[in-house]
Amino acid sequence: MLRQSWWKILCVVLLLYTVIAGFLGDVPAKPILHETIRNLYFHVAMWFSMMILFIVSVVYAIKYLRRPDQVFDIYSLEYAKAGIVFGSLGVLTGSEWAGFTWGAFWSNDPKQLGAVVALLIYLAYLVLRNSMTDMDKRARIGAVYNIFAFAMLFPTLWIIPRMVESLHPGGLGGNPAFENFDPRMGKIFWPAAVPGWTLLGVWISSLRIRLQLLELKKLNHA
Amino acid sequence: MRKTACLVWFLGSFLLSVLSAAAQGNDGNANVEMAGVLRSNGKIYIVVAVLATILAGLFVYVIRLDRKIGRLEKEAK
């Protein structure tokens, strides 16, 4: 699976389609947003990709706890790292977008804060891992912490921001996310933007996993 | 073989959705200012070209990295 090429070709096709159709396709005309509504294909897709990468990461963490194999730990770590990269890009692009629509690059919006808290929890995962030199101990504690981090992911991103007033769609007082989602945009967002960016994340993770597996092999032979 | 068929199916359905999306017009909200002029005089295509170039560059980079790691894996065997 890691070394097959069909899904990489699919990733290239989907992302090129996202960029081309994302700029040339029709979008609903909405006040405040204007053409920035197209950021949905990029900013929002970052978060979807991040969540999928974190889900894969926690699955491998659980696999490691069930059967302590260093390979599972490598998978878990590298998917989490790619997820952190996508999440950071999500925060940055969101801030850029907010600066020109909501009037401030940062407004302490519950979803902004929640996203940063979630990312900090995942960054702590890397710090925690690197504080241990013993490989098995690092992998085991890392896997346990990964489950904790994942348990915090959905409350910070999906639950808390929806219980309070928020500038983001989905907050208290109506404006639920994706309820009035334009079908023309859905045709780009669901089949191309989300899987395309996610596949790019998987691709990058897979490269890092392969490198780590090579190192592990070298270590075992030495 | 099935993978190729899958890819062709994906491509076909995307093309169809682009065409059908292009066939629909603005949804009657004429008060909201959109980049209609920008698009009609063709400048938006420059942005599309720039982004496509960036993506293409990133893809070339990732593919080369992929091949390099593939070679390392072969050597390690």
Side-chain angles (χ1 to χ4, degrees):
Chain A
M1 183 64 203
L2 280 186
R3 289 163 193 82
Q4 281 174 359
S5 58
W6 65 271
W7 59 272
K8 293 168 188 169
I9 299 168
L10 187 65
C11 168
V12 172
V13 171
L14 289 176
L15 284 184
L16 284 177
Y17 170 81
T18 304
V19 166
I20 294 165
F23 279 102
L24 300 179
D26 270 315
V27 292
K30 291 204 169 142
I32 301 170
L33 284 176
H34 302 275
E35 294 285 355
T36 69
I37 196 168
R38 294 176 197 278
N39 272 346
L40 182 92
Y41 307 132
F42 310 104
H43 164 73
V44 184
M46 289 296 118
W47 295 110
F48 276 79
S49 308
M50 180 199 80
M51 279 182 284
I52 294 168
L53 292 168
F54 281 163
I55 289 171
V56 176
S57 175
V58 78
V59 166
Y60 278 107
I62 294 167
K63 274 191 173 178
Y64 178 85
L65 290 177
R66 289 170 63 91
R67 189 162 64 82
D69 183 342
Q70 210 64 41
V71 174
F72 291 144
D73 183 53
I74 290 173
Y75 274 70
S76 183
L77 171 67
E78 294 304 339
Y79 277 108
K81 276 185 183 166
I84 291 170
V85 170
F86 275 72
S88 309
L89 287 173
V91 170
L92 280 175
T93 53
S95 175
E96 286 167 352
W97 194 3
F100 300 101
T101 46
W102 295 341
F105 289 102
W106 196 261
S107 21
N108 281 339
D109 179 74
K111 208 162 207 166
Q112 288 176 335
L113 294 175
V116 169
V117 168
L119 277 177
L120 284 174
I121 290 173
Y122 269 94
L123 281 173
Y125 167 67
L126 302 182
V127 174
L128 179 73
R129 288 183 62 99
N130 286 331
S131 67
M132 286 169 279
T133 47
D134 183 81
M135 270 172 87
D136 296 310
K137 192 174 164 191
R138 175 199 288 173
R140 195 168 61 247
I141 296 175
V144 172
Y145 183 84
N146 192 315
I147 296 171
F148 166 77
F150 184 75
M152 285 305 291
L153 183 65
F154 285 81
T156 50
L157 288 181
W158 291 89
I159 301 173
I160 297 169
R162 290 190 176 203
M163 294 171 72
V164 291
E165 287 282 354
S166 174
L167 290 161
H168 273 93
L172 202 69
N175 193 14
F178 290 112
E179 193 191 49
N180 301 315
F181 193 37
D182 192 88
R184 290 165 293 176
M185 297 191 76
K187 274 179 192 152
I188 298 169
F189 185 71
W190 295 119
V194 170
W197 290 113
T198 305
L199 281 177
L200 185 64
V202 173
W203 193 352
I204 294 168
S205 314
S206 80
L207 291 177
R208 293 192 56 107
I209 289 166
R210 284 161 65 184
L211 263 185
Q212 290 260 35
L213 288 177
L214 277 174
E215 297 230 331
L216 184 72
K217 215 173 185 179
K218 227 164 80 186
L219 207 73
N220 288 344
H221 279 293
Chain B
M1 198 56 221
R2 274 185 60 193
K3 280 165 200 159
T4 328
C6 243
L7 265 182
V8 169
W9 180 82
F10 258 113
L11 278 175
S13 52
F14 286 142
L15 271 180
L16 268 181
S17 61
V18 172
L19 288 176
S20 64
Q24 290 164 343
N26 199 314
D27 44 342
N29 204 344
N31 299 329
V32 179
E33 191 190 336
M34 299 294 271
V37 181
L38 193 73
R39 225 187 290 302
S40 67
N41 68 21
K43 293 259 168 82
I44 189 73
Y45 292 103
I46 299 163
V47 183
V48 176
V50 166
L51 264 161
T53 312
I54 290 175
L55 262 188
L58 282 176
F59 286 142
V60 168
Y61 178 80
V62 177
I63 289 167
R64 284 176 58 99
L65 192 60
D66 199 324
R67 293 221 172 121
K68 234 172 231 171
I69 294 171
R71 261 205 304 279
L72 275 178
E73 282 169 343
K74 245 184 218 156
E75 278 169 26
K77 253 175 206 166

